[in-house]
Amino acid sequence: MAELSVNFAGIHAPNPLWLASAPPTDKAYNVNRAFEAGWGGVVWKTLGEDPPIVNVSGPRYGYMHGGDRRLLGFNNIELITDRPLAVNLREAAEVKKNWPDRALLVSVMVPMKEESWADIVARIEDTGADGLELNLGCPHGMSERGMGAAVGQVPEYVAQVCAWCKKHSRLPVVVKLTPNVTDIRQPALAAQEGGADAVSLINTINSIMRVDYDTLGVWPAVDRKGTHGGYCGPAVKPIALHMVAEIARDPRTRGLPISGIGGAETWRDVVDFLALGAATVQVCTSAMTYGFRIVDDMLQGLARFLDEKNLPSVERLAGIAVPSLTDWKYLNLNYVEKAWIDQDKCIQCGRCHIACEDTSHQAITHEVNGRRHYEVIAEECVGCNLCAAVCPVEDCITMRPAGAAEHADWTTHPNNPARAAG
């Protein structure tokens, strides 16, 4: 069987599946249950200075369901831990003592003052924790106080906080990046320049869920008032994958260890994050949805996949897909694929035809010899894949290669004005 253990920025763990800093890691009771279930590591819910912050006691979570009430998106307005710092530190020390083989990082957020960071990271180090995760990404509540995303959105601040933590602690420093920026590579570079040992991403995305259709106010609301929160869950995974891959493929940050976060729910999601450059994968929303035992299916599926692909370890999978990622301008403009409909699987619903007829290229028939029939008109098909996306039957519509001339991308194409001018 493939080796699932990992070494992340010098932190050892029996597997790459870790719980992210969030409600599931707020106390020893939860973390002990997580380790009993098989998680390879946890990031303790973000600690701050005393006195503790005060969380709202009304609705903290908003949510978006799919048609089957599957939880697709999750919005939260919960802040960092509201438990006393001393209690958290004592419990973290107890957990690490009882689970020496598991990775235990502690998330931390304090004001932009060196003395504040110096004091708290020293106290965290005394617990025996394996590393620090600097929460520079929280988009709500704390950012209004000059912390979280208010720091993470300014590369100079990111570098400065990293430097302070490296100066005052011997622990590996992982910087949790905010996705609420234009270019994720800039804070990643700043973290690297500040001496960070690794980065984790993404933190939650700034969001408002919806309106309450009865009150016509924001939903959810606390005493008739709502606010923006942090969006997470399966819906954010493509955004997270993009940002992880951007850091992994940039020559300036290539080699910087990455812990991927954002919507992982199945072993396939774990493979996606690892293949696109992550070394570990942090999970939150799916654990809150289904409980800690989901780690069984995720680990078993990952192990089977590695064996099927003859990959001896998680490390060999990490980053394997990154070389296939490129900029649009380098895609082969001469490569051609066409849609193909498996008539044995087609249920004659007509969704492919309607989508193509109304919004695409009128490349699918709806009638042949007076009878309902859906078939691709090859000469009209541009290979956009819309029909496959809307088809309700898996693999009924697939894309098939239809030939390719000599490679020609936008940098060499005759229609490129820059090339013509040259």
Side-chain angles (χ1 to χ4, degrees), residues 391-420:
C391 179
V393 180
E394 187 173 3
D395 293 331
C396 176
I397 302 180
T398 54
M399 305 302 294
R400 295 189 170 187
E406 183 179 355
H407 181 97
D409 57 46
W410 185 241
T411 66
T412 60
H413 199 277
N415 288 5
N416 184 342
R419 181 179 181 276

Side-chain angles (χ1 to χ4, degrees), residues 1 4 15-17 37-39 264-271 283 286 290-306 308:
M1 181 176 289
L4 295 184
N15 65 66
L17 292 179
W39 294 88
E265 193 172 80
T266 70
W267 66 265
R268 291 180 176 84
D269 300 325
V270 175
V271 168
V283 176
S286 60
Y290 302 110
F292 288 151
R293 298 304 304 184
I294 63 163
V295 74
D296 282 342
D297 288 342
M298 298 170 88
L299 287 174
Q300 290 173 19
L302 175 61
R304 285 196 303 269
F305 179 82
L306 292 173
E308 289 170 2

Side-chain angles (χ1 to χ4, degrees), residues 202 233-242 262-264 266 268-270 272-273:
I202 56 174
V236 310
K237 179 190 155 192
I239 300 169
L241 290 178
H242 160 68
T266 70
R268 291 180 176 84
D269 300 325
V270 175
D272 291 338
F273 274 104

Side-chain angles (χ1 to χ4, degrees), residues 196-215:
D197 299 281
V199 293
S200 59
L201 65 153
I202 56 174
N203 210 310
T204 53
I205 301 170
N206 223 341
S207 60
I208 294 175
M209 289 308 291
R210 63 173 175 86
V211 165
D212 184 311
Y213 306 115
D214 292 323
T215 68

Side-chain angles (χ1 to χ4, degrees), residues 112 136 148-161 178 180-181 186-187 190-191:
M112 190 71 188
L136 306 185
V151 176
Q153 290 168 336
V154 183
E156 293 81 5
Y157 294 170
V158 173
Q160 182 64 80
V161 172
T178 174
N180 301 299
V181 293
Q186 300 311 310

Side-chain angles (χ1 to χ4, degrees), residues 50-217:
D50 282 329
I53 61 92
V54 179
N55 271 300
V56 297
S57 59
R60 297 181 187 179
Y61 307 134
Y63 41 85
M64 179 181 294
H65 286 135
D68 57 356
R69 282 192 65 81
R70 179 191 169 205
L71 189 64
L72 301 180
F74 204 59
N75 172 288
N76 87 89
I77 59 169
E78 184 165 318
L79 304 183
I80 65 176
T81 184
D82 50 15
R83 305 165 73 229
L85 178 59
V87 172
N88 278 295
L89 293 173
R90 183 182 71 247
E91 290 189 4
E94 292 171 355
V95 168
K96 185 57 191 177
K97 181 180 178 180
N98 293 331
W99 298 91
D101 67 322
R102 308 301 172 94
L104 176 63
L105 285 75
V106 176
S107 179
V108 58
M109 176 198 299
V110 291
M112 190 71 188
K113 296 184 294 186
E114 182 175 0
E115 58 268 28
S116 295
W117 286 96
D119 175 69
I120 199 166
V121 299
R123 296 178 68 179
I124 292 171
E125 188 167 341
D126 288 342
T127 68
D130 297 301
L132 303 167
E133 185 180 78
L134 313 186
N135 184 345
L136 306 185
C138 186
H140 57 275
M142 305 309 294
S143 55
E144 289 90 328
R145 310 176 197 201
M147 293 180 273
V151 176
Q153 290 168 336
V154 183
E156 293 81 5
Y157 294 170
V158 173
Q160 182 64 80
V161 172
C162 289
W164 288 338
C165 292
K166 292 299 293 183
K167 175 182 176 182
H168 295 288
S169 174
R170 294 167 296 176
L171 293 176
V173 171
V174 182
V175 179
K176 191 172 186 179
L177 302 178
T178 174
N180 301 299
V181 293
T182 303
D183 186 349
I184 195 65
R185 295 172 298 179
Q186 300 311 310
L189 283 166
Q192 183 172 256
E193 291 164 5
D197 299 281
V199 293
S200 59
L201 65 153
I202 56 174
N203 210 310
T204 53
I205 301 170
N206 223 341
S207 60
I208 294 175
M209 289 308 291
R210 63 173 175 86
V211 165
D212 184 311
Y213 306 115
D214 292 323
T215 68
L216 296 184

Side-chain angles (χ1 to χ4, degrees), residues 146-396:
M147 293 180 273
V151 176
Q153 290 168 336
V154 183
E156 293 81 5
Y157 294 170
V158 173
Q160 182 64 80
V161 172
C162 289
W164 288 338
C165 292
K166 292 299 293 183
K167 175 182 176 182
H168 295 288
S169 174
R170 294 167 296 176
L171 293 176
V173 171
V174 182
V175 179
K176 191 172 186 179
L177 302 178
T178 174
N180 301 299
V181 293
T182 303
D183 186 349
I184 195 65
R185 295 172 298 179
Q186 300 311 310
L189 283 166
Q192 183 172 256
E193 291 164 5
D197 299 281
V199 293
S200 59
L201 65 153
I202 56 174
N203 210 310
T204 53
I205 301 170
N206 223 341
S207 60
I208 294 175
M209 289 308 291
R210 63 173 175 86
V211 165
D212 184 311
Y213 306 115
D214 292 323
T215 68
L216 296 184
V218 173
W219 181 90
V222 178
D223 193 20
R224 298 187 296 268
K225 293 288 185 180
T227 187
H228 65 280
Y231 195 55
C232 57
V236 310
K237 179 190 155 192
I239 300 169
L241 290 178
H242 160 68
M243 293 189 172
V244 165
E246 283 298 281
I247 295 172
R249 77 184 183 106
D250 191 310
R252 299 168 295 177
T253 49
R254 192 175 297 148
L256 181 66
I258 300 170
S259 187
I261 312 170
E265 193 172 80
T266 70
W267 66 265
R268 291 180 176 84
D269 300 325
V270 175
V271 168
D272 291 338
F273 274 104
L274 294 174
L276 285 168
T280 64
V281 180
Q282 295 186 33
V283 176
C284 173
T285 305
S286 60
M288 295 176 73
T289 305
Y290 302 110
F292 288 151
R293 298 304 304 184
I294 63 163
V295 74
D296 282 342
D297 288 342
M298 298 170 88
L299 287 174
Q300 290 173 19
L302 175 61
R304 285 196 303 269
F305 179 82
L306 292 173
D307 289 341
E308 289 170 2
K309 296 297 181 182
N310 294 316
L311 293 169
S313 66
V314 169
E315 184 180 357
R316 289 288 297 274
L317 173 61
I320 199 169
V322 173
S324 70
L325 188 63
T326 189
D327 295 333
W328 190 96
K329 63 183 177 181
Y330 297 121
L331 298 179
N332 186 2
L333 298 176
N334 281 337
Y335 180 77
V336 178
E337 284 189 353
K338 303 286 186 180
W340 179 80
I341 301 174
D342 185 337
Q343 298 299 330
D344 291 333
K345 293 183 177 180
C346 181
I347 61 174
Q348 304 294 314
C349 67
R351 290 180 62 181
C352 60
H353 167 73
I354 294 298
C356 189
E357 193 73 12
D358 287 355
T359 67
S360 197
H361 294 85
Q362 298 78 53
I364 297 179
T365 64
H366 71 287
E367 186 178 288
V368 173
N369 297 326
R371 299 179 61 186
R372 175 184 291 188
H373 182 78
Y374 302 102
E375 194 166 316
V376 176
I377 305 169
E379 56 270 25
E380 300 296 335
C381 178
V382 301
C384 71
N385 208 26
L386 174 63
C387 53
V390 302
C391 179
V393 180
E394 187 173 3
D395 293 331
C396 176

